[in-house]
Structures are given as C-alpha cells and as structure tokens.
Amino acid sequence: MADHAHEPEDFKDHLDVSHVEHPTEDYTRNVNARIINPLAGISKDNLRLQVRGFCIEHGFQDKEDVFFRGALAAQNPIEEDYMNIPELTDDDKLALKREITHKWHLPRHLYYAIALCSLGSALQGWDNTGANGANLSFPQEFGIEDNQWLIGVINAAPTLFGLCSAWAADPVNNWIGRRGSIFVTGLFVIFPVLAQAFTHSWWELLICRLFMGLGMGIKISVIPIYTAEVSPASIRGGMVTSFQLWVAFGIMIGMVFNLAFYRIGRLAWRFQLAAAFAPAIPVVLLVWWCPESPRWLMKKGRYQQAFHSFCRLRNTEMQAARELYYAHRQVIEERSAFAGTTLGRRIWDLVSVPRLRRATLASAWIVISQQFSGINIMAFYSSTIFSNAGYGTLSTLLASFGYGLIMFVFAFPALYTMDTFGRRNLLLLTFPNMAWCLLAAGLCFFMSPDNPARVPLIAFFIYLFTALYGPGIGPMPSIYFSEAFPLSHREIGGAFTICINNAVGSALSLTFPALLARVGATAAFGLYAGLNMVAFLVIFLIVPETKQRTLEELDYIFGVPTSKHIAYQIKTWLPWWVKRYVFFQRDAELKPLYQLEGYSARRDDEEQIV
C-alpha cells in the first residue's frame, strides 16, 4: 500500500481533470444524444492521482489500491479492455465477467433487502382487493348503497390523502433516510388498516382510510427508489419489478381472504379490510437489518458508511469501490448541474431545468398511462363488474380471485423481460393489445343475459387484459420514476410522480361507480380502451428507453431534447419499422439515436434506438 505520510499537500495541483468535466448543458440540452463515461480518456497516472485524492479526502487511504482497481474497471467496462489491465487481479476479472454471465448471483443482503421491503408493497394490492370484496357489504351496513359517489370517495381515500402526503417523501427521506422512511410509513399502514374493523359509521371508515394514505403516499415512492439505488444496473428493472410483483401478490392474497371471510355474513367486510395490516409487521420489525442506501449516504457525505453498504450489496470489495467511485464522479457533476438546495427550489427545478423536466414528463406520463389502462378500476371494482354481469356473490369473489391470480403469475415474466426486451418496447407491445381486450370485454355486455357464454367471455377478456398488464405497464411506474431523476432530486421527483398518480387514480376511482351506473359497462370499457391507445401514442413519442443504464448515465439520456426524441421516432424509427416489418426488407438499416462515448458495447443496438 502506498505510504501517504509524506504526501505533498498540494498534490492535487498536479491533477488534470479538465478532460472529464462536462459542462452543465450536456445534461440540460444533450442535442447530440451523447452518453459520456466521466472516466473515459483519463491516463492511468492521472486516474491514480484522482483516486488518491478521493481516498485521502474520505478516509480510504488503506483501500487506495482497491479503489484504483475499481476506477479502472469503471473506466474500461468492456471485457476486451479490462481483461488486458495488469492492475486487475484474476479474481477481479472473474467477478467482472460473472456480472454478465451470472448477473443474478448477488449477496444475500441484497436479496434480503429487496424481499423484505417489497413485502411492504403487498399492502398496496391487498388493500385494493380488500375494498373490492368489502364493496359488496359495507355500503349496506352504513346505508349508503345508493350513494355511488360516497362509495367512490371511501375507496379512493388512501390515494386522495396520499396526494398530499406524497410531498412529504422529500423531507422525510432527507431527515431519516430510506430505511427510516420505510419504518415510519409502515406504522401508518398497520394501525389505521386494523382500525377499519372497528368503525361504526362511514365517516369513521373514511378517516381510517385517509390515515392509511398518509403512509402509503410516501411508501409507494420510497420502496422503488430504495430498490433502484441498491440494485446493479444490469438487473435494476427486474429488481424494482419486485414492487409490482408483491403488489400483485397482495391483490391475490386479498382475493383469497375475501373468499375466506365470505361466509361470516354481514361482518365479512370488517375482516376483509383489516386483514391487510399483516404484511407491514415484518417490514417495520426487520427493516433495520437492511443496508442503508449507499447513494443516500453519499448524498449526506457519509462515504465510509456508503462503502460499507456497497460491500454488503456487491460480491467483492473492488465492485463496491467501483460503484462508489463512479457514482461519486457523477454526483460531483450533478451538483453543479442541479444546484437546488431548498424544497421549493427543487420543486421548481422539476419544470425549469430541461433534463429534470423531461424526466418529470416521462415519469408522469408513465403513471398516468397506468391509470388510463384501467387496472386500478379492476382492482377496486372487479367484484362489482362481475356482479353486474350476472354472477352471484360467491361466483363474483371466485372470478375476482382468478383476476388476482393471473396478475400475480404474469408479473413474473417482467423480472426477466424488463432488462432484456426493455421498458419502452414492453409498453409499446402491450398497450394496443390491452385496448382491444377491454373493447372486447365491453362488447360482450351486449350479449343476452341468458346466453351462457356471456359471463365467461367477459371474464376471459378481463383475464387476458390482466395477463398483458403484468409484464407491461404493471411494474413500469415504480421502475421509471425511481431511476429517471438524479440523486439530488430523486425524492422530490418520485413524490411529484406519485402525486400525479394519486390525483389521476383518485379521479378515476371516484368517477367509475357513477360512470358505470350512468353509461353502462360497454361505454365505460370502450372509454378505457381509447385511453389505452392515447397512452400508447404519447409513450411512443416522448418516453426514452432506460434499461441497463446506471442511474448516473441516465442524466445523458434525459438530456436529449424532447423535440429531437420525437423527430427521431417519427422520421427515422417509424420508416425503418415499416420497411422492416411491413415490407419485410431485411436489409433495412436503422441509425441509432444515442452515441456512446467511453461505454461498453454490451448494450445492443435495439436499446439505443427504440
């Protein structure tokens, strides 16, 4: 190990970093669509000096060799390059190679954190389906069965109050970190959920559900952000998909409990609603054994603890050092580009800074598209829909259970496809197909109630719609907003996105009972089929691909002007697609949108161009 006892005070004066400092406009207006490795082009001597300065500044003198090897690995991510670096040990090279060949082979601490925290997301789905079954009985007990608007308000109460509490995600995360935020929000999804069983009037039930929203509004953004920050870039999409997987699991289990409590009678709705507190208990008890987000620790200047967290989350010290140093270099540039310090300034930055505005626009449209898909309406009101279609209470609950089971099963493919087929491709593939499924289900309501095929066909098309939702828009919102924003604005960006999600979701949940009663199922389903196609069109124009990019690299992706992205899709990609898949011109060539500078060739051309 190098001896730093006699290190000259001014050794940094000899440091040349001019060639790796990229001006702010690279982020805010990346007109050339370049994606730049901040370590590209630095000589080994300069890189060693920079690493030495970093180690002295943050107290890693005894780890200088590890950080230097990590910096070399970050600078040379292509196998053909790092295999020829003599400073890297054989173990280092093997670890780097296994990131591609065995990318799911990761430490148990990472899987523990993902599994435990994602369990908290099960409450999200469980509550929706608890309300789904409870809708068949609590309105009668409280004498509000004819007041469709009030039923809608009670069902939408968590998202209504979450609309306000989501803004607290930024200061809460800033004060107590990711683990602390998960713990605090977990308390709000235990006691109010349990209290629903003891309410004696509709307004008491409404208050309990409003308090649920206080925790859920923050939790829904914290868990995906935490998951994204601890996951490697190559499987980040699959890891964050676990949030939706467990939401789907919660939906399925909620349906199971709806059936289990069905024969209790008029008290069934109390058990159906209150049972959803169970997933939050292990979360609040065991979350403190999870590693804190190393990127949040870096944001607080606690680099020693950040390195310790990275060591628990990666297979080797070199890989942990690589990620810490690479993130550090990018964070330095982010601080100069996105300088918002107060909450108000950070909120304003979301619309005033072009790179942030594009991330906000894309993330907001993703969550709006999820609501436009109609899935949350199915989660809340599938029992009502099946009941209107002609099923009895037990048959309705069984049909709704089938809906929950399909959603859970078809969430699994997204674990793989999210980081291989890509976020954008999955959305463009599934939305048109979900649209015709909804339209077909709505048209089936025209069939005679005496026709024995009527209800099975309605159920079939709803199930098919749900199967397409699972690997498509289902996990996308939690993935997209958790990765789209830079570290400086990640919490407020996620909070804003959740506010949009809750606002649109509340509006749809509030209006659907009245819409269903006024215009009927066919028109309601037709409306949502049209909204699916609107979502498809806007996604095609403005939503960029983010798969297998580090959180820091995405600054350049969202630095590309929206006008350039739209022009590329219309003038370059669409004509190529027509030539290739309509006229079957196999020799049709597609010019990529993004130009890689200093990054690996491991990302295929499709990722760059669609």
Side-chain angles (χ1 to χ4, degrees), residues 265-276:
R266 67 182 187 87
L267 296 179
W269 68 269
R270 298 182 181 273
F271 292 91
Q272 289 166 342
L273 288 177

Side-chain angles (χ1 to χ4, degrees), residues 275-291:
F277 83 97
I281 293 179
V283 174
V284 299
L285 293 178
L286 302 176
V287 69
W288 299 108
W289 277 266
C290 295

Side-chain angles (χ1 to χ4, degrees), residues 73-128:
Q75 185 186 47
N76 302 274
I78 307 175
E79 182 178 353
E80 290 79 1
D81 292 339
Y82 68 68
M83 291 299 289
N84 296 319
I85 299 176
E87 288 83 358
L88 293 179
T89 67
D90 291 340
D91 288 341
D92 292 339
K93 294 173 183 177
L94 178 61
L96 292 171
K97 189 172 183 178
R98 285 177 63 86
E99 287 182 335
I100 306 301
T101 60
H102 298 76
K103 60 183 179 181
W104 291 94
H105 184 265
L106 293 161
R108 57 184 175 84
H109 295 289
L110 176 60
Y111 285 112
Y112 170 80
I114 300 300
L116 182 70
C117 296
S118 294
L119 182 60
S121 64
L123 177 65
Q124 200 85 12
W126 198 332
D127 170 70
N128 288 354

Side-chain angles (χ1 to χ4, degrees), residues 178-191:
R178 310 291 190 241
R179 293 184 305 176
S181 299
I182 293 170
F183 173 80
V184 170
T185 57
L187 298 177
F188 282 93
V189 291
I190 291 177
F191 299 109

Side-chain angles (χ1 to χ4, degrees), residues 166-177:
W167 290 104
D170 183 278
V172 170
N173 272 275
N174 190 50
W175 293 335
I176 59 178

Side-chain angles (χ1 to χ4, degrees), residues 133-147 151 269:
N135 283 335
L136 298 176
S137 52
F138 87 80
Q140 287 73 21
E141 179 157 339
F142 293 146
I144 59 172
E145 62 271 23
D146 296 324
N147 193 335
I151 295 172
W269 68 269

